[in-house]
């Protein structure tokens, strides 16, 4: 059997980030988690670093290396999303404080050192939050960029618009300068925008199947999702909330669930009105370089089948 694909998960948990990490932990044959790096986003860094360790402990994966990263965007004040995720970022279940320690050292240095150490083209970056850590790593060590196998991100939106402003999706909006560095870097990007994630609703029948797994991690996840979806149900009038971040990990496990095309993507960093917008040249109306594979469609039933199958393995 082929060896597991090496990944670093850069994240700001977040209930949907937690679901993505759980999907990776439930897939040890395919994915080796070299480390989890945290960033300020949904909640401040101290909480995202706490939450990442809570998820590791919940899944009995306390050997996982968790590094704290940037506590603020490269050039702006931090914007958080407690209105979606609750005060802690993981509101919903009752969770105990983590006992496992954070690793010494900064997430940015861990990313750089890992990419320099591992054979070229073997490490995939999975980004589930603002791109601050990655932008800083690329600035500090541009030599790592060609060493990356692929950067798969949850971020952006185009036909679907934005979710934090009419034009911008949260992860890109929080640190547009970092996103700009990433999209200009030449790294191979796969982008999971709102156009995809809004097709993945936590419908009652799907959450019920998760609850039927019956394990402690599955139960905690169900309670997280029940909290998380209330905001989007009210906002969109939809049948459940969109499950954003697990798309990144699902793509590594079953790319055939997703359909998209290679496009040019540029980030708006100047306009006050549209800052953080991902300008996607879906119709190839410019000659600009196709720097990302932008996804637009997903097999939602296949996605939830995968999620439930893997959650049951934890
Ligand atoms: C993204 O923003 C966060 O609130 C979620 O965790 C996800 O990464 C969706 O816009
Ligand atoms: Ca996130």
């Amino acid at each position: 059997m082929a060896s597991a694909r090496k990944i670093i998960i850069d994240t700001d948990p977040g209930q949907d980030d937690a679901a993505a990490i759980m999907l990776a932990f439930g897939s040890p044959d395919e994915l080796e988690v070299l480390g989890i790096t945290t960033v300020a986003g949904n909640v401040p860094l101290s909480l995202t670093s706490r939450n990442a360790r809570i998820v590791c402990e919940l899944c009995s994966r306390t050997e996982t290396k968790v590094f704290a990263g940037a506590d603020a965007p490269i050039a702006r004040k931090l914007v958080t999303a407690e209105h979606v995720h609750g005060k802690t970022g993981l509101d919903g279940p009752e969770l105990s404080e983590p006992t496992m320690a954070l690793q010494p050292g900064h997430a940015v240095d861990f990313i750089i050192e890992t990419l320099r150490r591992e054979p070229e083209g073997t490490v995939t970056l999975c980004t589930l939050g603002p791109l601050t850590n990655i932008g800083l790593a690329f600035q500090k060590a541009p030599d790592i960029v060609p060493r990356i196998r692929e950067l798969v991100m949850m971020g952006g939106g185009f036909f679907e618009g934005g979710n934090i402003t009419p034009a911008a999706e949260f992860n890109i909006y929080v640190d547009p300068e970092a996103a700009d560095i990433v999209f200009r870097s030449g790294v191979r990007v796969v982008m999971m925008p709102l156009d995809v994630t809004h097709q993945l609703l936590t419908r009652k029948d799907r959450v019920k199947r998760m609850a039927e797994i019956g394990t402690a991690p599955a139960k905690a996840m169900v309670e997280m999702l029940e909290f998380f979806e209330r905001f989007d149900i009210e906002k969109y009038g939809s049948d459940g909330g969109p499950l954003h971040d697990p798309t990144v990990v699902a793509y590594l496990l079953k790319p055939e669930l997703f359909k998209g095309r290679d496009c040019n993507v540029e980030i708006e960093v100047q306009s006050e009105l549209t800052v953080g917008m991902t300008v996607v040249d879906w119709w190839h109306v410019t000659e600009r370089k196709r720097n990302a594979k932008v996804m637009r469609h997903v097999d939602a039933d296949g996605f939830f089948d995968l999620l439930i199958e893997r959650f049951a393995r934890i």
Side-chain angles (χ1 to χ4, degrees):
M1 210 189 82
S3 59
R5 182 166 173 170
K6 294 174 183 176
I7 63 171
I8 295 174
I9 302 178
D10 188 74
T11 178
D12 63 337
Q15 293 89 348
D16 61 322
D17 302 71
I21 296 168
M22 275 181 62
L23 181 56
F25 283 159
S27 311
D29 292 344
E30 293 101 332
L31 301 175
E32 179 186 352
V33 183
L34 298 178
I36 295 180
T37 53
T38 61
V39 65
N42 286 324
V43 284
L45 183 72
S46 58
L47 284 170
T48 59
S49 303
R50 162 196 182 263
N51 295 348
R53 287 176 291 147
I54 287 180
V55 178
C56 293
E57 291 187 1
L58 195 60
C59 300
S60 308
R61 293 291 294 269
T62 50
E63 79 290 357
T64 310
K65 293 184 174 146
V66 181
F67 294 84
D71 63 0
I74 290 179
R76 292 172 196 262
K77 261 187 79 167
L78 177 65
V79 175
T80 53
E82 284 87 357
H83 58 291
V84 183
H85 301 271
K87 227 172 141 66
T88 66
L90 281 191
D91 279 19
E94 250 190 59
L95 298 163
S96 16
E97 290 305 307
T99 56
M100 66 186 270
L102 279 171
Q103 296 293 309
H106 197 283
V108 168
D109 295 320
F110 169 73
I111 293 169
I112 295 171
E113 281 156 23
T114 306
L115 282 160
R116 285 182 176 160
R117 185 190 63 234
E118 296 290 337
E120 186 169 336
T122 59
V123 177
T124 297
L125 298 182
C126 299
T127 69
L128 315 177
L131 289 154
T132 317
N133 288 334
I134 313 299
L136 289 171
F138 286 10
Q139 267 182 340
K140 193 169 172 187
D143 58 289
I144 63 173
V145 174
R147 303 187 62 80
I148 297 165
R149 173 164 169 185
E150 204 171 38
L151 185 153
V152 188
M153 72 163 68
M154 191 281 133
F158 52 120
F159 297 118
E160 190 74 15
N163 62 356
I164 184 82
T165 73
E169 180 279 330
F170 180 78
N171 290 341
I172 307 293
Y173 178 79
V174 172
D175 199 341
E177 282 74 20
D180 189 44
I181 292 170
V182 169
F183 279 98
R184 287 178 190 280
S185 69
V187 71
R188 188 185 139 75
V189 173
V190 177
M191 175 173 147
M192 293 292 174
L194 296 175
D195 302 76
V196 165
T197 67
H198 281 187
Q199 296 170 45
L200 300 170
L201 300 180
T202 55
R203 281 187 342 219
K204 282 206 164 40
D205 56 315
R206 292 168 172 160
V207 178
K208 183 165 171 273
R209 285 173 63 203
M210 264 179 226
E212 282 163 4
I213 297 172
T215 59
K219 184 168 174 287
M221 180 48 58
V222 166
E223 289 171 11
M224 283 185 214
L225 295 182
E226 282 169 350
F227 178 89
F228 173 67
E229 67 187 13
R230 91 220 172 284
F231 174 79
D232 288 301
I233 290 176
E234 204 174 297
K235 177 172 166 192
Y236 299 111
S238 56
D239 188 10
L243 203 46
H244 309 282
D245 292 340
T247 53
V248 167
V249 179
Y251 173 76
L252 301 182
L253 298 170
K254 277 199 164 188
E256 65 275 14
L257 291 174
F258 300 90
K259 284 200 176 57
R261 56 168 84 152
D262 290 318
C263 300
N264 173 266
V265 180
E266 310 232 342
I267 308 296
E268 176 57 60
V269 290
Q270 272 165 6
S271 152
E272 231 175 87
L273 187 62
T274 58
V275 67
M277 183 173 182
T278 42
V279 180
V280 177
D281 186 4
W282 181 260
W283 300 111
H284 300 151
V285 296
T286 71
E287 298 294 309
R288 294 198 289 255
K289 188 170 174 265
R290 297 180 188 180
N291 56 352
K293 178 150 193 132
V294 179
M295 296 305 178
R296 188 171 176 192
H297 300 289
V298 57
D299 166 1
D301 289 334
F303 171 87
F304 278 98
D305 287 347
L306 176 70
L307 213 66
I308 290 157
E309 176 196 296
R310 299 306 164 98
F311 284 179
R313 293 185 187 173
I314 297 169

